[in-house]
Amino acid sequence: MRHRHPDSPATEHLVIVGNGMAGHRLVEALVKQPGRPPRITVIGDERVPAYNRILLSPLLAGEMTHDALTLNGADWYAEHDIALVLGERVTDIDLQARRLTTDAGRTLDYDRLVLATGSRPAMPPIPGLDLDGVHAFRDLDDAAELIRFSRTRATGHGGRAVVIGGGLLGLEAAEGLRKRGLAVSLIQRDDRLMNRQLDVTAATLLQRELESRGLEVITEGHIAGFEDDGSGHVAAVCLEGGRRLAADCVVVAIGIAPNAELGRTAGLEVNRAVIVDETLTSSDPAIHALGECCEFQGTTYGLVEPIWRQVEVLAAHLAGEAVDGYVEKPCATKLKVSGVSLYAFGPTEPDADHEVLTYHDPQQGDYRRLLLRDGRIEGAVLYGDTAMGPWYFERSLAGTDLGPCRQALLLGAADAQLLLDSPEPQDSPLKEAA
């Protein structure tokens, strides 16, 4: 039950630096608060209002329009008495004066400041990284560049693209470009795709599916450098070992790095990102950090679930309410990669004490693998049919002993729950099926 904290008056002027998904979610939460700060200013360095970055992949694939990504237009901010500044980047924060400056020369005083500056693409130190035709895939401008390229260099005109990175973003960038008509090769440094979420079997199923669509997948690929065509444009990706992949376009999608430089320059405590406490407060009590640019107890963020929980805590705190602080919780990963549903949580590899249960239906393209310890689920990987994923995850969080329904665990949540709820052990035809 939330209540107003007597020692936490509502902020007079709140400035939010960053108009990405985290910053926008915070604004939406604040306007619902009775004690919202009376004056709110949002500053974003992109030229457009906040949009759903997760939908960049279907935009690239031609499955969605630009307008469908917008979360709220400029009119929405005005209707809620929120000042919106777009196309300006904050360059300096004066902690003593509580004043910030933008690259346009604008200065703003604040009572409270929230850094929601997000992250940038991680770019490895690869020779040739600065060549024309080498792209990241992180924002609308990146998507627009790739769409323009694909329109002029489709397969019929010899267009070839190489995507570096076998995680979610790399896979979706590769599929988007393939759907745009390019011949695409994807390079993954690890031995399998999505190695942080999938075991070998699920990753192999995913790779075969993508290859059946015409995507070339190269695992254990190590980049030696990018080749110049002689005019400053990329011509090829060269791998260690001598292999050369011709490329008119290269997309680097190997991960993200927190945008923490603004906080570091201002003098805040920063490690990989801006360090915050359980109220998302930095080392300066007037400054908070949120989302991909913050670090809590050594953890940085890239998934929306923990960031949304951070938003809830920070919105209440800024409105002068007392709530339980932010705490880390286990997360499950639910994804749809190029039309294939995936669900995973816990370790991807079993240890010596894990009991491993698997189900695989090659005809339907379904695969499930559970890791149990003393009858309790510690990890799961689901490929194809992921309907049971949330049931597994809930039982894992609860530490439920699933011994009574072990024989039905891979067949269906209803059957497993029936056995779990049964007061007496009973014979079941499911035992034979298992």
Side-chain angles (χ1 to χ4, degrees):
M1 178 71 179
R2 294 179 175 177
H3 58 279
R4 187 67 174 270
H5 196 288
D7 297 324
S8 301
T11 301
E12 180 65 27
H13 184 204
L14 171 68
V15 177
I16 301 173
V17 180
N19 194 34
M21 292 177 66
H24 178 265
R25 181 90 169 195
L26 177 62
V27 172
E28 285 194 319
L30 284 171
V31 299
K32 298 174 183 176
Q33 292 280 357
R36 61 161 275 186
R39 185 180 171 204
I40 301 175
T41 300
V42 177
I43 304 177
D45 60 1
E46 293 190 68
R47 299 180 300 275
V48 296
Y51 57 89
N52 189 337
R53 208 176 295 274
I54 296 171
L55 298 180
L56 286 174
S57 297
L59 176 68
L60 176 60
E63 300 167 349
M64 187 166 289
T65 64
H66 179 286
D67 291 344
L69 273 67
T70 302
L71 295 170
N72 278 312
D75 290 347
W76 181 88
Y77 293 83
E79 290 169 4
H80 291 86
D81 197 25
I82 297 168
L84 179 62
V85 179
L86 296 177
E88 295 187 27
R89 181 172 56 86
V90 175
T91 57
D92 180 71
I93 302 172
D94 185 331
L95 303 186
Q96 297 300 319
R98 292 191 180 180
R99 179 177 298 121
L100 58 81
T101 305
T102 75
D103 57 0
R106 184 192 305 267
T107 60
L108 279 174
D109 293 333
Y110 63 85
D111 295 295
R112 290 284 181 93
L113 180 67
V114 174
L115 299 179
T117 50
S119 62
R120 63 188 180 279
M123 303 300 279
I126 298 175
L129 190 66
D130 58 347
L131 291 172
D132 290 339
V134 178
H135 304 271
F137 183 44
R138 184 64 181 162
D139 58 28
L140 278 173
D141 288 342
D142 295 331
E145 284 292 323
L146 293 172
I147 290 170
R148 278 195 291 272
F149 170 78
S150 66
R151 286 172 175 167
T152 59
R153 299 295 295 272
T155 303
H157 300 88
R160 291 197 57 86
V162 175
V163 176
I164 299 171
L168 175 63
L169 195 61
L171 291 172
E172 293 198 330
E175 267 291 274
L177 292 171
R178 184 193 65 78
K179 289 177 180 177
R180 288 276 180 177
L182 299 174
V184 182
S185 299
L186 181 139
I187 301 172
Q188 165 69 323
R189 183 182 181 90
D190 204 86
D191 65 347
R192 64 185 187 271
L193 300 176
M194 298 191 70
N195 56 292
R196 293 184 178 180
Q197 293 86 18
L198 304 182
D199 65 0
V200 172
T201 302
T204 301
L205 290 170
L206 179 60
Q207 179 172 338
R208 288 174 180 170
E209 170 61 28
L210 296 176
E211 288 174 337
S212 72
R213 303 178 188 182
L215 189 70
E216 180 184 25
V217 177
I218 301 168
T219 56
E220 297 184 284
H222 300 273
I223 311 297
F226 301 143
E227 183 180 302
D228 192 330
D229 70 352
S231 66
H233 195 280
V234 69
V237 174
C238 300
L239 301 182
E240 293 179 4
R243 185 174 179 184
R244 178 183 182 275
L245 299 172
D248 306 297
C249 167
V250 174
V251 179
V252 180
I254 62 169
I256 58 175
N259 285 327
E261 289 72 17
L262 184 60
R264 181 178 286 111
T265 302
L268 299 179
E269 187 177 355
V270 175
N271 186 22
R272 287 179 296 166
V274 178
I275 296 174
V276 297
D277 64 14
E278 67 277 2
T279 63
L280 287 306
T281 303
S282 75
S283 54
D284 184 308
I287 299 180
H288 310 270
L290 174 72
E292 293 171 339
C293 72
C294 83
E295 179 175 334
F296 176 70
Q297 296 181 349
T299 299
T300 54
Y301 302 91
L303 299 174
V304 296
E305 182 181 336
I307 295 174
W308 286 180
R309 289 192 283 108
Q310 291 177 359
V311 166
E312 183 177 353
V313 171
L314 183 54
H317 182 68
L318 292 171
E321 296 186 4
V323 291
D324 293 336
Y326 175 78
V327 294
E328 283 296 301
K329 295 181 180 179
C331 290
T333 302
K334 182 179 182 180
L335 303 169
K336 188 175 285 289
V337 181
S338 305
V340 177
S341 295
L342 305 171
Y343 192 100
F345 63 86
T348 56
E349 300 297 335
D351 63 31
D353 296 326
H354 277 132
E355 179 185 7
V356 181
L357 302 181
T358 60
Y359 168 86
H360 189 190
D361 183 345
Q363 290 187 330
Q364 296 297 322
D366 294 331
Y367 170 74
R368 294 189 281 279
R369 189 217 60 189
L370 305 179
L371 301 182
L372 281 75
R373 191 189 308 273
D374 298 326
R376 293 165 174 81
I377 296 179
E378 291 193 348
V381 174
L382 288 77
Y383 176 100
D385 181 0
T386 61
M388 285 190 67
W391 190 89
Y392 291 143
F393 187 55
E394 289 170 7
R395 301 307 171 283
S396 177
L397 290 178
T400 305
D401 182 358
L402 297 173
C405 64
R406 181 189 177 283
Q407 69 269 30
L409 272 180
L410 295 169
L411 300 181
D415 293 329
Q417 190 66 50
L418 181 64
L419 291 178
L420 193 62
D421 294 339
S422 177
E424 298 292 339
Q426 55 182 282
D427 292 329
S428 167
L430 292 171
K431 290 184 179 180
E432 297 181 6

